């Protein structure tokens, strides 16, 4: 019942969310020192890449309730039906983390039928709490990530949410978020849109810069897209070894449940290169990983 009632409030929440996106450009970027704690924000691609394995929090956060801990555990174990029930209970208490997860689950159809209108509404509920002066960096990360998800819907549209595609508006939203926070999902989107001329003037070179920025944060879709560009050889000079290198990195960065296609494509590329090419690709990937590790922490040898 709570979910249906919230769906009915969705349209009323659209205006403040769009207003939030309009003011992001005045924000001050967060520093890397603020990004060391993972915990409940492990799923939010915000400032540093998330760890591939979900972990319970090691820090004390007021909104990390017992229901939320149980929901996260159920989610991690693939018991999505139980997770949805517990997240809804926490959401009824006004928990933003629960709202974010419910948006995520409705967007991907985990434990519930896929419903973009519901996903958008839950993300909107989180984004409405955005405050550029928020002292709690974890809360800020969650709201910023929700704004990226909303921009995704601006870009593609969502018929059952009453949203028509608006790539120019999405590009403006991504740009503000990428500039203020360096969010890799926003950087990736700007990269692809710049290469395709989607909502912005076509500029492949600028697109590559955005993709590289996201790849340095080990954002798997950006790494995979770079792999495709080098394999295709149209935007950049074709290089099978470099293409495989990027897919090896993407496979390391990706979560199987989020991007299974990356794992399949990496195997496909590996089967289409020679042994020497594969060895060189692995060596190049190792060098990149040492410089830009998935967990955001360089090895002692690089300090």
């Amino acid at each position: 019942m709570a979910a249906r009632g919230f769906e009915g409030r969705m349209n009323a929440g659209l205006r403040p969310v769009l207003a939030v996106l309009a003011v992001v450009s005045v924000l001050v970027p967060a520093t890397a020192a603020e990004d060391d704690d993972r915990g409940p924000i492990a799923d939010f691609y915000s400032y540093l890449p998330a760890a591939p394995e979900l972990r319970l929090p090691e820090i004390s956060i007021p909104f990390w309730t017992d229901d939320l801990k149980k929901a996260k555990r159920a989610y991690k174990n693939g018991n999505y039906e139980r997770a949805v029930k517990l997240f809804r209970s926490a959401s009824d208490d006004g928990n933003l983390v629960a709202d974010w997860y419910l948006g995520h689950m409705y967007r991907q159809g985990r434990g519930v039928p896929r419903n973009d209108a519901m996903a958008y509404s839950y993300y909107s509920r989180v984004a409405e709490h955005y405050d550029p002066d928020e002292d709690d960096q974890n809360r800020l990360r969650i709201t910023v990530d929700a704004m990226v998800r909303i921009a995704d819907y601006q870009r593609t549209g969502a018929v059952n949410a009453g949203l028509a595609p608006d790539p120019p508006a999405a590009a403006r939203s991504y740009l503000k978020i990428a500039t203020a926070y360096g969010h890799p999902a926003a950087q990736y989107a700007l990269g692809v849109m710049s290469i395709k001329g989607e909502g912005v003037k076509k500029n492949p070179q600028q697109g590559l810069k955005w993709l590289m920025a996201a790849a340095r944060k080990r954002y798997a879709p950006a790494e995979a897209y770079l792999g495709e560009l080098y394999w295709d050889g149209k935007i950049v000079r074709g290089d099978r070894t470099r293409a495989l290198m990027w897919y090896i990195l993407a496979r390391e960065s990706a979560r199987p449940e989020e991007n299974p296609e990356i794992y399949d494509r990496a195997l496909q590329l590996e089967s289409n290169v020679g042994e020497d090419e594969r060895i060189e690709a692995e060596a190049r990937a190792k060098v990149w990983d040492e410089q830009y590790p998935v967990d955001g922490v360089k090895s002692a040898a690089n300090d």
Side-chain angles (χ1 to χ4, degrees):
M1 293 296 292
R4 289 196 295 272
F6 181 53
E7 183 176 9
R9 296 194 299 273
M10 177 191 66
N11 290 332
L14 300 187
R15 288 186 295 275
V17 171
L18 296 177
V20 163
L21 287 170
V23 300
V24 175
S25 57
V26 301
L27 305 178
V28 178
T31 62
E34 295 168 339
D35 307 323
D36 294 337
D37 293 324
R38 295 280 197 267
I41 54 171
D43 289 325
F44 310 136
Y45 282 109
S46 297
Y47 308 99
L48 290 176
E53 295 296 329
L54 302 180
R55 296 183 293 180
L56 290 177
E58 298 172 355
I59 53 179
S60 177
I61 296 178
F63 49 66
W64 197 245
T65 63
D66 287 341
D67 275 347
L68 209 55
K69 290 178 182 178
K70 293 175 184 177
K72 180 76 174 285
R73 191 176 298 115
Y75 183 92
K76 179 179 179 180
N77 293 333
N79 189 349
Y80 298 129
E81 288 78 10
R82 174 172 169 76
V84 166
K85 181 179 178 180
L86 291 167
F87 279 135
R88 282 176 177 162
S89 176
S91 174
D92 289 343
D93 292 332
N95 190 287
L96 297 186
V97 178
D99 289 336
W100 187 93
Y101 268 103
L102 287 167
H104 187 65
M105 296 178 81
Y106 273 106
R107 179 171 60 88
Q108 295 203 324
R110 294 186 186 175
V112 291
R114 177 172 175 171
N115 188 321
D116 289 326
M118 288 296 289
Y120 185 87
S121 63
Y122 275 113
Y123 288 136
S124 298
R125 185 172 178 176
V126 177
E128 286 168 13
H129 287 82
Y130 166 74
D131 179 358
D133 298 320
E134 175 63 62
D135 293 328
D136 188 330
Q137 290 300 304
N138 295 320
R139 189 181 181 93
L140 182 61
R141 283 170 151 180
I142 292 168
T143 55
V144 169
D145 191 88
M147 289 191 294
V148 174
R149 306 294 178 175
I150 291 169
D152 290 342
Y153 280 117
Q154 284 182 310
R155 178 184 176 188
T156 62
V159 175
N160 63 354
L163 295 173
D166 191 348
R172 291 192 294 270
S173 297
Y174 288 133
L175 181 60
K176 292 171 183 177
I177 297 168
T179 301
Y181 291 110
H183 195 299
Q187 293 171 332
Y188 164 70
L190 286 169
V192 175
M193 295 174 80
S194 296
I195 287 173
K196 294 182 175 180
E198 178 189 352
V200 295
K201 184 177 180 180
K202 189 172 183 178
N203 188 337
Q205 292 307 310
Q206 183 61 44
L208 288 171
K209 291 178 181 178
W210 282 119
L211 289 174
M212 287 298 296
R216 290 189 184 97
K217 296 180 181 178
R218 299 305 303 272
Y219 190 62
E223 294 170 322
Y225 200 91
L226 285 165
E228 289 297 335
L229 291 178
Y230 277 103
W231 190 263
D232 189 53
K234 293 181 180 178
I235 303 299
V236 296
R237 181 179 298 177
D239 187 330
R240 287 154 52 103
T241 299
R242 195 172 296 275
L244 179 57
M245 177 201 82
W246 282 117
Y247 260 102
I248 291 172
L249 291 166
R251 183 169 56 192
E252 293 174 356
S253 307
R255 299 187 183 94
E257 71 276 10
E258 291 274 359
N259 304 109
E261 73 284 355
I262 288 178
Y263 290 78
D264 295 339
R265 181 60 170 159
L267 287 173
Q268 186 180 43
L269 263 60
E270 284 178 331
S271 67
N272 281 278
V273 300
E275 183 68 11
D276 291 343
E277 290 174 307
R278 183 187 60 79
I279 292 173
E280 184 178 350
E282 291 175 349
R284 289 185 181 184
K286 182 179 179 181
V287 171
W288 182 271
D289 181 64
E290 289 173 351
Q291 184 67 25
Y292 305 104
V294 171
D295 61 7
V297 180
K298 295 181 183 179
S299 65
N302 292 322
D303 291 340

